[in-house]
């Protein structure tokens, strides 16, 4: 008879000792010092061979923000990876937090840690006056817990990672750590967090520290020396500047008062901190004309220190707030002001040359300064600034000033996510500067392989011209062209087949804007709002008080249909348009620059814009579905944790949503924790290797079957009448996923063939995996976690990965 109890019970050692005395077994074991910490378990013969130089490694790196606001919580990432060639057991991370800071109590403190949204167990110790604490898990060869030393008052935080074993093939583990920065911290004084990795049980699943398998610590130093580190700089405030302009652009504008733009200056002050005499300044370049402060978008309570001229370009805007205190959010003080790019700069020179229409630029400098009185009475009042070198600092934003500008956007017709068979609507908007006139305007639009122009929708053009307006209406057939660079015969949507050009799957649309304007009864010119269309030149003055005829703009709309397959360009070798694929677009508008008096051509000018979409993906979920074929897991749950024992049959469940059901290189790596699961042990896998059975229900050990919500398998008909299966590197092209075991990584790989289908319906992959629990011994406190890793390729985009874990507790036999 076997008796099972919780693996944390103290009865293990007691009963083992009684058994040895009863049998008269005599043995010599080294005397163990009395230590606080986990109990010691010696259940296996000693392993005395020397360990190679860390065949299992515990590589750790920190993803730390460069700066953090005083008194606020922040998060950073600690990445753990086994870069060696054998598994490590009981992985953990050590971190030293500089809680004391510079003055003894003004540093960084630990709050919590999570992995994939679940809490990670933490052991937190404060370094005492003598400076050293006992590690919670790592022993030396005498059985004594390793002493880790640091500055008294700082903290050693040890994180038990939610894995009993961590193999080299396993994806790196990103732990999210939340910490707090003291509101007494010294501004701009760097504070350093240090971290290292380790395995509390070394390279075996046993707590056999006595026998040559002491815990692995990397680096092995125990005072933080050589540990990966990252500095954090405390900040009192942050300052940002944003540009509000045409849709789908961050840095361009047509010139003139008909195209007012806005800058927004935002100051975020650390929560609870107060800054007095806070000045927010913006130095406008000599080719930007200030209009005024946006009262509705500007925080009240300011006084004006300086205000730029409303008639002469350039100047410095400075608003002062007598006192400002940081609160919730990131916008404690906001200043917004309006401006435009004029024809002439402050020196009388043309901003955009009238003869060529070539682009110019406006570099804008902004900064903030104030006086900070620290909450810490030990720290003196301190000036704070976003950039101490301003107003000679580099531009915070550079605006491109244009005689003609174009922007582009895209949306799915009817809403929803992009998918094969859906229609995309592209919108091109363009503007002509107030000070320019154009004719011969043409827009050329190149759409990538994987999408074809919607032949059932004729492109439309809308014009707001100077002296005329044209409502949105379809292009006349002679005024637009659809040139198809397809390897197959051009479709009905094509007006031209570019047989002389290399076939790359693209489509080139050409819109003759000026010809369309002529077709609708006008002269084909687009004249800026401050230019007399009758030929008398510029309307002077032309400013916000005299806007001439208003803005000169145009809008083109056309549609394209996402295809089932790429025709020519598919780097992966699979021509289907799959989840994760990218479809892009580039538009260029060009035209003749005209003299404002004679309307004679003086030059040509162009501008471009881009837009695109990505076919979406979903995420992976991993759960325990059944134990011993019982789906009522409450029967196996103790203190909120699923509990299993040797010889139990455990059935895991993987679910993964497919937005379009067109997939490429879809694989699931299912990592099982050592030593209780061995994917190559016949006793755990039903006596043979792994296989797949297209049956809905709880599978036998070593078998993968369909879960109750699986709809993807039946969606694939596998006979080519609706969908097409093609082989990939892990699957020969069958409807059934191929299941293989990887002994080195202790995982199974479930690989689907590439699949393409014209229905493009969302489906779900739902798989059940069963395996028997081993009775192999392992150390107390060894976490048991099963991790699943989904990988999905794409034809021309980046591959996607998704991870999910499920944890459980193992009872131990006496």
């Amino acid at each position: 008879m076997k008796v099972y109890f919780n693996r944390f019970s103290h009865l293990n050692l007691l009963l083992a000792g009684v058994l040895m005395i009863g049998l008269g077994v005599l043995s010599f074991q080294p005397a163990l010092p009395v230590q606080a910490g986990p109990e010691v378990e010696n259940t296996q013969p000693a392993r005395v061979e020397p360990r190679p130089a860390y065949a299992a490694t515990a590589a750790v790196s920190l993803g730390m923000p460069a700066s953090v606001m005083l008194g606020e919580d922040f998060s950073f990432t600690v990445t753990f990876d086994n870069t060696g060639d054998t598994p490590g057991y009981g992985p953990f991370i050590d971190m030293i937090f500089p809680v004391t800071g510079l003055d003894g109590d003004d540093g960084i403190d630990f709050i919590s840690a999570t992995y994939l949204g679940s809490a990670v167990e933490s052991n937190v110790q404060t370094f005492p006056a003598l400076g050293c604490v006992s590690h919670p898990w790592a022993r030396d060869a005498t059985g004594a817990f390793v002493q880790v030393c640091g500055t008294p008052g700082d903290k050693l935080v040890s994180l038990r990672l939610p894995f009993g074993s961590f193999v080299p093939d396993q994806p790196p583990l990103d732990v999210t750590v939340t910490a707090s920065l003291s509101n007494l911290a010294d501004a701009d004084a760097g504070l350093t967090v240090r971290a290292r990795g380790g395995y509390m049980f070394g390279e075996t699943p046993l707590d056999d520290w006595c026998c040559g398998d002491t815990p692995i610590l990397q680096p092995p130093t125990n005072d933080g020396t050589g540990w990966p580190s990252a500095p954090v700089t405390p900040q009192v405030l942050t300052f940002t500047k944003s540009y509000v302009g045409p849709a789908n652009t961050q840095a361009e504008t047509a010139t003139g008062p008909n195209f007012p733009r806005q800058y927004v200056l935002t100051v975020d002050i650390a929560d609870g901190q107060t800054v007095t005499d806070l000045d927010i300044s913006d130095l406008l370049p000599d080719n930007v004309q200030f209009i005024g402060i946006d009262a509705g978008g500007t925080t009240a309570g300011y006084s004006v220190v300086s205000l730029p001229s409303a008639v002469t370009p350039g100047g410095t805007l400075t608003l002062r707030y007598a006192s400002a205190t940081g609160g919730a959010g990131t916008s404690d003080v906001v200043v917004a002001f309006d401006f435009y790019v004029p024809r002439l700069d402050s020196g009388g020179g043309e901003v955009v040359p009238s003869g060529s229409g070539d682009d110019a630029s406006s570099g804008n400098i902004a900064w903030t300064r104030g006086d900070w009185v620290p909450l810490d009475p030990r720290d003196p009042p301190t000036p704070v600034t976003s950039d101490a070198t301003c107003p000679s600092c580099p531009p915070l934003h550079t605006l491109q000033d244009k005689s003609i500008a174009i922007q582009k956007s895209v949306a799915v017709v009817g809403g929803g996510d992009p998918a094969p068979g859906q229609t995309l609507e592209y919108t091109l908007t363009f503007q002509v500067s107030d000070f320019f006139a154009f004719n011969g305007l043409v827009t050329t639009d190149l759409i990538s392989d994987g999408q074809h122009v919607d032949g059932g929708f004729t492109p439309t053009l809308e014009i707001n011209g100077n002296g005329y307006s044209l409502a949105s209406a379809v292009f006349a057939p002679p005024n637009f062209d659809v040139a198809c660079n397809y390897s197959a015969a051009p479709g009905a949507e094509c007006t031209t087949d570019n047989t002389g050009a290399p076939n790359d799957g693209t489509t080139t649309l050409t819109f003759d804007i000026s010809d369309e304007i002529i077709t609708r009864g006008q002269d084909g010119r687009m004249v800026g709002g401050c230019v007399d269309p009758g030929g008398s030149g510029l309307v002077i003055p032309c400013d916000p008080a005299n806007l001439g005829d208003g803005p000169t703009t145009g809008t083109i709309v056309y549609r394209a249909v996402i295809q089932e397959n790429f025709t020519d360009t598919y780097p992966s070798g699979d021509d289907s348009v799959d989840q994760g694929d990218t479809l892009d677009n580039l538009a260029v508008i060009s035209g003749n620059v005209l003299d404002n008096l004679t309307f004679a051509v003086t030059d040509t000018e162009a501008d471009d814009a881009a837009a695109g979409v990505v076919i979406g993906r979903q995420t992976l979920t991993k759960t325990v579905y059944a134990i011993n074929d019982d789906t009522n897991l409450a029967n196996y749950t103790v203190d909120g944790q699923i509990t299993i024992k040797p010889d139990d049959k455990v059935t895991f469940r993987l679910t993964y949503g497919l937005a379009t059901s067109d997939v490429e290189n879809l694989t699931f790596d299912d990592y099982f924790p050592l030593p209780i699961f061995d994917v190559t042990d016949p006793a755990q896998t039903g006596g043979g290797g792994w296989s797949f059975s297209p049956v809905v229900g709880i599978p036998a050990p070593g078998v993968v079957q369909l879960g109750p919500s699986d709809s993807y398998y039946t969606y694939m008909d596998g006979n080519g009448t609706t969908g097409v299966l093609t082989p990939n590197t892990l699957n020969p092209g069958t409807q059934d996923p191929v299941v293989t075991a990887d002994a080195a990584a202790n995982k199974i790989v479930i690989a689907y063939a590439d699949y393409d289908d014209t229905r493009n319906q969302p489906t779900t992959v739902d798989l059940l995996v069963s395996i028997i629990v081993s009775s192999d011994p392992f150390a107390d406190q060894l976490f048991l976690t099963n991790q699943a890793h989904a990988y999905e390729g794409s034809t021309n985009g980046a591959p996607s990965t998704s991870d999910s874990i499920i944890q459980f507790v193992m009872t131990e036999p006496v």
Side-chain angles (χ1 to χ4, degrees):
M1 179 181 73
K2 293 181 180 178
V3 179
Y4 293 93
F5 53 90
N6 188 279
R7 64 190 176 94
F8 294 108
S9 174
H10 289 203
L11 293 176
N12 294 47
L13 294 178
L14 177 61
L15 292 176
V18 171
L19 178 62
M20 291 181 69
I21 293 172
L23 294 175
V25 177
L26 299 179
S27 63
F28 173 77
Q29 298 290 340
L32 303 182
V34 177
Q35 297 280 349
E39 59 201 275
V40 182
E41 187 174 79
N42 287 313
T43 60
Q44 287 289 291
R47 194 186 78 168
V48 296
E49 69 271 14
R51 174 193 292 134
Y54 296 138
T57 61
V60 167
S61 61
L62 289 165
M64 191 75 67
S67 58
V68 174
M69 302 289 275
L70 274 75
E72 297 187 9
D73 297 346
F74 66 100
S75 296
F76 61 93
T77 300
V78 185
T79 300
F80 181 97
D81 194 14
N82 184 348
T83 57
D85 54 17
T86 61
Y89 291 86
F92 64 86
I93 294 171
D94 287 335
M95 291 184 291
I96 295 178
F97 280 81
V99 179
T100 57
L102 296 186
D103 298 323
D105 59 355
D106 57 353
I108 299 173
D109 203 354
F110 171 79
I111 296 178
S112 63
T114 61
Y115 173 64
L116 294 179
S118 298
V120 174
E121 179 186 337
S122 59
N123 180 284
V124 181
Q125 301 182 75
T126 300
F127 292 113
L130 296 179
C132 298
V133 296
S134 296
H135 196 281
W137 307 301
R139 301 174 184 270
D140 62 23
T142 70
F145 289 98
V146 169
Q147 296 295 296
V148 183
C149 303
T151 301
D154 286 352
K155 289 183 178 179
L156 171 68
V157 177
S158 300
L159 303 177
R160 279 186 66 198
L161 302 182
F163 293 92
S165 59
F166 206 85
V167 299
D169 182 68
Q170 211 159 333
L173 183 152
D174 290 331
V175 176
T176 299
V177 176
T178 302
S180 64
L181 175 63
S182 171
N183 60 0
L184 305 180
D186 292 50
D188 300 327
L191 301 170
T192 299
V193 176
R194 304 179 187 279
R196 72 171 174 184
Y199 297 101
M200 66 178 74
F201 302 119
E203 293 176 316
T204 74
L206 305 177
D207 198 4
D208 51 354
W209 48 266
C210 64
C211 312
D213 188 32
T214 53
I216 296 173
L217 299 170
Q218 292 178 314
T221 55
N222 289 307
D223 59 359
T225 303
W227 294 21
S229 62
V232 177
T233 301
Q235 273 191 308
V236 177
L237 58 78
T238 61
F239 178 69
T240 57
K241 178 169 185 171
S242 59
Y243 168 62
V244 181
N248 201 35
T249 181
Q250 294 298 314
E252 72 175 24
T253 183
T255 61
N258 281 299
F259 302 102
R261 307 305 185 207
Q262 188 173 87
Y263 277 128
V264 178
L265 313 175
T266 302
V267 178
D268 179 26
I269 302 172
D271 294 352
Q273 304 290 335
T274 298
V275 178
T276 60
D277 293 332
L278 176 67
D279 288 350
I280 300 176
S281 301
D282 195 298
L283 175 59
L284 277 68
D286 65 358
N287 58 6
V288 165
Q289 178 60 61
F290 177 77
I291 297 175
I293 296 171
D294 178 1
T298 298
T299 303
Y302 63 84
S303 61
V304 176
V305 176
S306 63
L307 205 62
S309 168
V311 296
T312 302
T316 301
L317 167 69
T318 300
L319 302 186
R320 176 169 296 168
Y321 291 82
S323 180
T325 300
T330 58
S331 303
D332 293 314
V333 182
V334 178
V335 173
F337 67 91
D338 300 319
F339 69 94
Y340 70 93
V341 177
R343 184 176 69 89
L344 303 177
D345 60 27
S346 60
E350 291 184 325
V351 177
V352 175
S354 58
S356 66
D358 288 344
D359 295 353
S361 62
S362 299
N364 188 266
I365 297 170
W367 69 98
T368 185
R369 288 176 179 161
D371 296 318
W372 170 54
V373 180
L375 297 178
D376 190 341
R378 296 164 297 189
D379 298 332
T382 306
V384 289
T385 178
S386 61
D387 194 320
T389 66
C390 284
S392 60
C393 56
L396 194 59
H397 184 269
T398 299
L399 184 65
Q400 297 301 312
D401 312 322
K402 296 179 176 290
S403 58
I404 189 166
I406 188 170
Q407 302 85 43
K408 186 164 193 176
S409 60
V410 59
V412 176
V413 176
D417 297 324
Q422 291 186 316
T423 300
L424 303 175
E425 183 168 278
Y426 287 100
T427 301
L428 291 74
T429 58
F430 53 94
Q431 307 87 36
V432 173
S433 162
D434 285 340
F435 315 119
F436 284 82
F438 283 83
N439 71 6
L441 285 165
V442 175
T443 294
T444 302
D445 200 322
L446 181 71
I447 63 174
S448 64
D449 198 351
Q451 51 186 328
H452 289 172
V453 171
D454 182 358
F457 181 88
T458 304
T460 63
L461 174 68
E462 178 183 1
I463 296 291
N464 178 28
N466 187 343
Y468 69 94
S469 62
L470 302 176
S472 178
V474 299
F475 274 86
N479 298 328
F480 78 95
D481 179 65
V482 180
C484 302
N485 289 5
Y486 307 157
S487 58
E493 74 278 5
C494 307
T495 56
T496 304
D497 178 16
N498 279 4
T499 54
N503 287 322
D504 55 7
T506 61
T507 302
T508 303
L509 296 91
T510 303
F511 301 102
D512 292 323
I513 298 170
S514 289
D515 286 351
E516 180 63 23
I517 293 173
I518 293 171
T519 298
R520 299 192 198 180
Q522 302 298 323
D523 57 14
R525 291 196 290 261
M526 291 190 70
V527 178
C530 294
V531 177
D532 179 8
S536 63
L538 291 170
V539 178
I540 302 296
C542 189
D543 55 37
N546 180 22
L547 295 174
D549 196 59
T552 299
T553 62
T555 303
I556 296 172
V557 177
Y558 73 91
R559 292 180 175 179
V561 178
I562 301 176
Q563 301 298 292
E564 295 296 330
N565 300 91
F566 297 96
T567 61
D568 297 276
T569 303
Y570 37 96
S572 72
D574 178 3
D575 63 357
S576 64
V577 176
D578 301 324
Q579 298 181 156
D581 284 343
T582 300
L583 308 176
D584 53 37
N585 182 292
L586 177 65
V588 177
I589 188 170
S590 61
N592 299 320
V593 180
L594 306 179
D595 180 86
N596 286 333
L597 282 172
T598 65
F599 294 131
V601 176
T602 61
D603 210 330
T604 60
E605 181 61 7
D607 189 33
D608 58 37
V613 298
V614 177
I615 311 298
R617 288 188 170 114
Q618 298 185 29
T619 57
L620 173 71
T621 301
K622 178 84 185 255
T623 58
V624 173
Y625 183 74
I627 299 175
N628 299 323
D629 296 344
D630 183 359
T631 59
N632 184 5
L633 298 181
N635 296 331
Y636 302 88
T637 301
V638 178
D639 296 330
Q641 289 184 306
I642 296 174
T643 303
I644 62 175
K645 65 182 186 300
D647 300 326
D648 277 346
K649 173 187 172 184
V650 182
T651 302
F652 296 100
R653 183 180 188 181
L654 296 86
T655 55
Y656 185 76
L658 299 173
T660 68
S661 301
D662 289 347
V663 299
E664 185 171 333
N665 289 319
L666 177 62
T667 59
F668 300 97
D669 292 345
D670 203 350
Y671 293 87
F672 290 86
L674 293 166
I676 68 162
F677 292 126
D678 185 341
V679 298
T680 60
D681 185 350
Q684 295 183 258
T685 61
W690 288 87
S691 63
F692 172 81
S693 174
V695 177
V696 177
I698 299 175
V703 179
V704 177
Q705 288 185 188
L706 301 175
S709 67
D710 189 275
S711 55
Y712 181 59
Y713 185 83
T714 55
Y715 182 82
M716 295 185 296
D717 63 337
N719 58 20
T721 59
T722 301
V724 178
L725 288 163
T726 55
N728 60 39
T729 55
L730 296 177
N731 189 298
T734 65
Q735 183 178 3
D736 291 353
V738 173
V739 185
T740 56
D742 184 332
N746 200 46
K747 68 176 181 179
I748 63 170
V749 180
I750 306 169
Y752 282 86
D754 298 345
Y755 187 70
D756 184 29
D757 195 294
T758 58
R759 292 169 290 176
N760 299 302
Q761 297 176 4
T763 60
T764 299
V765 174
D766 187 358
L767 299 174
L768 301 180
V769 179
S770 293
I771 190 169
I772 299 294
V773 180
S774 168
S775 59
D776 286 352
F778 64 97
D780 281 345
Q781 305 183 60
L782 194 66
F783 265 135
L784 301 175
T785 300
N786 182 238
Q787 179 182 20
H789 176 78
Y791 175 93
E792 188 178 352
S794 73
T795 302
N796 65 5
S800 170
T801 60
S802 179
D803 293 278
S804 183
I805 61 171
I806 184 68
Q807 294 179 264
F808 44 91
V809 170
M810 174 79 170
T811 58
E812 293 181 317
V814 177

